């Protein structure tokens, strides 16, 4: 529905007809009406970039039931808010719902990868190492389930580089190289750049120790 509305109809009057339809449905089936009003408000936000539609979408969340479809809507909504506002609380709400879904679909590596990536983004904003450790465990969980995941190998190596920069433990670097080599083998060219960054970081450490 979202795809059709956003890509096929440039006339927002057509979408307004849907708003009228689902507003009238509120008294009959509040949960169903709120699901579609949530989607419609997000469509209108994407068209107009007006925050009032995000606020209206947020009000719909309280009327959703705790079924899987509703939880996925919450994930999309709060993730979108985080990328728009850069506020940590929206990232943490996204993580809450993602972790809830990962508990239901335990073998779904995409959830664990997304959680790891979001924890990393929160770390970059807060510099709180608790978040980067959570990120590391999530990426490790992905690779435990599916070792053929080049993006995950890359991000796990990136986390290990941060841990090395903080602790100077060479084990982190060796582990990072293992992950990057695997990522390269799986076709992730971006991994070459990180290999260069790690060598540069090690060289700077060597030069600093040599000057002492």
């Amino acid at each position: 529905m979202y795809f059709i509305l956003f890509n096929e109809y440039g006339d927002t009057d057509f979408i307004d007809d849907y708003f009228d339809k689902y507003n009238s449905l509120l008294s009959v089936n509040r949960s169903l009406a709120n699901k579609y009003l949530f989607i419609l408000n997000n469509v209108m936000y994407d068209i107009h970039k007006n925050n009032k539609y995000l606020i209206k979408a947020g009000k719909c969340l309280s009327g959703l039931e705790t079924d899987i479809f509703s939880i996925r809507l919450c994930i999309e909504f709060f993730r979108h808010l985080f990328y728009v506002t850069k506020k940590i609380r929206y990232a943490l709400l996204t993580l809450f719902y993602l972790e809830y879904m990962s508990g239901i679909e335990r073998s779904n590596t995409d959830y664990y990868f997304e959680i790891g990536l979001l924890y990393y983004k929160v770390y970059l904003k807060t510099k709180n190492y608790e978040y980067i450790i959570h990120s590391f465990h999530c990426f490790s969980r992905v690779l435990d389930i599916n070792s053929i995941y080049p993006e995950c190998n890359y991000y796990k190596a990136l986390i290990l580089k941060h841990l090395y920069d903080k602790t100077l433990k060479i084990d982190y670097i060796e582990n990072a190289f293992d992950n990057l080599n695997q990522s390269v083998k799986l076709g992730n060219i971006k991994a070459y750049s990180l290999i260069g960054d790690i060598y540069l970081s090690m060289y700077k450490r060597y030069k600093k120790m040599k000057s002492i």
Side-chain angles (χ1 to χ4, degrees):
M1 178 182 174
Y2 188 102
F3 177 82
I4 292 170
L5 287 173
F6 187 66
N7 292 285
E8 300 296 328
Y9 297 100
D11 185 1
T12 55
D13 289 337
F14 181 86
I15 299 174
D16 287 338
D17 290 339
Y18 274 95
F19 273 116
D20 292 339
K21 175 183 176 182
Y22 290 112
N23 276 320
S24 65
L25 185 63
L26 278 169
S27 60
V28 181
N29 188 333
R30 188 165 183 258
S31 178
L32 180 64
N34 273 296
K35 285 180 184 178
Y36 285 103
L37 287 170
F38 176 91
I39 294 170
L40 289 167
N41 277 299
N42 275 285
V43 170
M44 293 297 278
Y45 172 78
D46 282 340
I47 292 171
H48 298 292
K49 303 303 179 189
N50 189 324
N51 285 340
K52 74 176 183 181
Y53 293 111
L54 287 181
I55 294 167
K56 288 181 178 180
K59 289 178 179 177
C60 295
L61 291 178
S62 62
L64 297 179
E65 293 178 355
T66 54
D67 57 77
I68 288 176
F69 180 74
S70 299
I71 294 166
R72 285 175 178 155
L73 286 178
C74 292
I75 291 169
E76 292 299 320
F77 177 67
F78 287 117
R79 180 170 50 201
H80 192 60
L81 276 180
F82 171 61
Y83 287 127
V84 169
T85 66
K86 312 302 181 189
K87 292 181 178 177
I88 296 299
R89 68 175 180 270
Y90 295 127
L92 297 177
L93 282 165
T94 309
L95 284 164
F96 172 80
Y97 287 109
L98 279 169
E99 288 175 347
Y100 186 92
M101 284 301 298
S102 70
I104 296 171
E105 300 178 18
R106 294 182 182 276
S107 60
N108 190 328
T109 54
D110 291 338
Y111 286 126
Y112 292 109
F113 179 75
E114 220 173 329
I115 293 168
L117 201 55
L118 202 48
Y119 268 126
Y120 177 61
K121 291 181 185 298
V122 173
Y123 159 73
L124 291 177
K125 289 187 70 66
T126 64
K127 300 305 178 184
N128 183 334
Y129 267 81
E130 179 184 343
Y131 294 122
I132 207 169
I133 297 299
H134 285 317
S135 181
F136 175 80
H137 288 311
C138 287
F139 292 136
S140 297
R141 173 68 173 152
V142 172
L143 295 174
D144 286 342
I145 298 170
N146 178 15
S147 60
I148 306 173
Y149 207 124
E151 278 293 299
C152 191
N153 285 115
Y154 171 83
Y155 278 104
K156 186 177 178 183
L158 186 59
I159 299 301
L160 287 162
K161 180 184 179 298
H162 283 291
L163 292 173
Y164 167 75
D165 289 340
K166 182 173 177 64
T167 65
L168 300 180
K169 290 182 179 178
I170 202 67
D171 290 352
Y172 289 132
I173 288 298
E174 291 172 352
N175 198 339
F177 277 130
D178 288 342
N179 278 277
L180 288 171
N181 287 332
Q182 180 67 5
S183 189
V184 168
K185 286 177 184 176
L186 294 169
N188 185 12
I189 299 173
K190 188 168 63 171
Y192 283 113
S193 176
L194 186 54
I195 291 173
D197 288 342
I198 291 174
Y199 274 125
L200 181 61
S201 180
M202 293 177 71
Y203 172 72
K204 286 179 178 177
R205 180 195 176 193
Y206 169 76
K207 288 285 285 183
K208 186 177 181 180
M209 289 178 67
K210 195 174 179 181
S211 64
I212 294 174

